[in-house]
Amino acid sequence: MSRVAVISGGAGGLGQAFAAHLLKEDWRVVLIDLPAALAVLPTGDERIEQVACDLTDEAAVAAVCADISVRYPALDLVIHNAGVTQIDLFDETTLASQRLVMEINYFGSVRVAAGLLQAVRRGRGTHIAVSSVAGFAPLNRRTAYAASKHAMNGFFQSLATEEAEYGVGVVVAAPSFVATNPGRFETGIAGIGRPGAATDGFDEISPAQAAKTILDGWRRGKRFVPVGRVAWMAWMINRLSPGLYIRLMRRKIRNS
C-alpha cells in the first residue's frame, strides 16, 4: 500500500515541489489549499487528491481533517506548508493584518496538526513544519511574518517532545528565500501577499531544491533543517553574534 502524505498549501510552488518528489516514490498525496488555488492545477493523476479548505475557518479544517482521517486512518507524513508573507514597516501595518498573518501561518498549522494528530500517531508518521529563517532570527519589514514563524517553531519543537512517545517525528525546516512566485508579489491587506515573490530577496533557491533539502533532512533523522546557503549562514551567525547578523541582514535587504 502506498504511503500517504498530506500537504497544506499544496497548490503553491513549494507544495507542488513536495508533491513531485513524493510522487516519484509512488506516494499518495492529499493537497489542501484554497479552492481558487486548486482550480488551476492539472488533474488526472489518481495518486493526487485535492481538498479545498480555508485554514482560517476552524470548523472547515476540523471537518476536512476528520474526513481525511477516516479515509486514511494512519498517515505517514503531514507537511505544514501553507502560509503568506507580509512585507511592510510595522507602523504601516494594522493590528487586523498582523492577526490575519498569525491566523494563516500559525493557527492554520495548529488546526491541521490537531485535526490529523491521531492519524499521524496511528501511522507513526511525521509532521514537517515549513518555517523560515524568520522563525529563529529577525527579518526586516516582516514583524508579523517573523512572529508567526517564531510561533510555529515554538509549537512544533514543543510538540516533538509530546509526540515522541507515540513514535511520531517532528521536523522544523527553515528556508531562506525560495523563489516560488518570482516577480509576482501581489499585496493585499497591509503588505500581505503570497510567499516567494519578495523583491528584496537574495540568493534565492528553487522550490525543487528546497523540497529536496527538507525531505532529505527528514530522511536523515534531522529535527531542524536550515534550507539553503543563506539559511545555514544566518543560523550560525545569529547564534554566534546576533548583532552582526542584524547588520548584515539590513545591508543585504537594503541593497537588494
Side-chain angles (χ1 to χ4, degrees):
M1 185 175 179
S2 296
R3 292 169 291 177
V4 180
V6 176
I7 306 172
S8 70
L14 188 53
Q16 287 290 286
F18 280 123
H21 279 288
L22 295 172
L23 289 170
K24 288 178 184 177
E25 300 174 4
D26 206 30
W27 283 64
R28 188 170 188 86
V29 296
V30 180
L31 307 178
I32 301 176
D33 215 314
L34 294 169
L38 293 171
V40 300
L41 295 183
T43 58
D45 191 330
E46 63 181 13
R47 298 171 300 169
I48 303 174
E49 293 185 40
Q50 299 179 8
V51 178
C53 186
D54 182 343
L55 297 190
T56 67
D57 185 332
E58 188 168 339
V61 175
V64 160
C65 290
D67 179 65
I68 292 172
S69 297
V70 168
R71 291 183 292 112
Y72 302 106
L75 289 172
D76 299 283
L77 187 63
V78 178
I79 302 178
H80 303 271
N81 173 65
V84 295
T85 190
Q86 183 185 42
I87 305 176
D88 223 336
L89 295 172
F90 175 62
D91 68 0
E92 296 175 0
T93 67
T94 64
L95 291 180
S97 69
Q98 295 264 334
R99 187 175 294 113
L100 180 57
V101 174
M102 290 295 294
E103 281 290 337
I104 297 170
N105 292 2
Y106 173 66
F107 284 108
S109 295
V110 171
R111 291 180 185 114
V112 172
L116 299 178
L117 192 72
Q118 297 303 323
V120 177
R121 285 179 177 178
R122 287 190 291 268
R124 298 176 71 84
T126 301
H127 296 273
I128 295 180
V130 180
S131 181
S132 167
V133 167
F136 63 77
L139 190 55
N140 202 47
R141 300 178 66 231
R142 289 165 174 81
T143 52
Y145 180 73
S148 70
K149 294 301 186 177
H150 272 73
M152 278 187 71
N153 283 17
F155 172 78
F156 280 103
Q157 288 169 347
S158 298
L159 183 68
T161 65
E162 298 180 14
E163 293 301 292
E165 65 179 284
Y166 300 99
V168 171
V170 177
V171 179
V172 174
S176 50
F177 293 98
V178 182
T180 51
N181 291 290
R184 297 172 59 201
F185 187 69
E186 301 166 4
T187 59
I189 301 170
I192 295 176
R194 65 178 118 200
T199 57
D200 60 358
F202 55 92
D203 201 25
E204 295 172 322
I205 61 175
S206 71
Q209 288 175 299
K212 183 178 186 304
T213 298
I214 293 167
L215 293 173
D216 285 349
W218 159 56
R219 291 184 176 110
R220 293 197 305 270
K222 302 294 185 182
R223 295 180 62 173
F224 179 73
V225 184
V227 183
R229 186 175 64 93
V230 170
W232 273 106
M233 291 175 62
W235 171 247
M236 295 303 299
I237 293 171
N238 188 62
R239 292 183 66 189
L240 296 172
S241 178
L244 174 60
Y245 168 83
I246 290 173
R247 290 194 298 275
L248 292 172
M249 178 265 296
R250 284 176 174 167
R251 186 173 66 190
K252 275 288 188 182
I253 287 181
R254 187 182 301 119
N255 294 336
S256 60

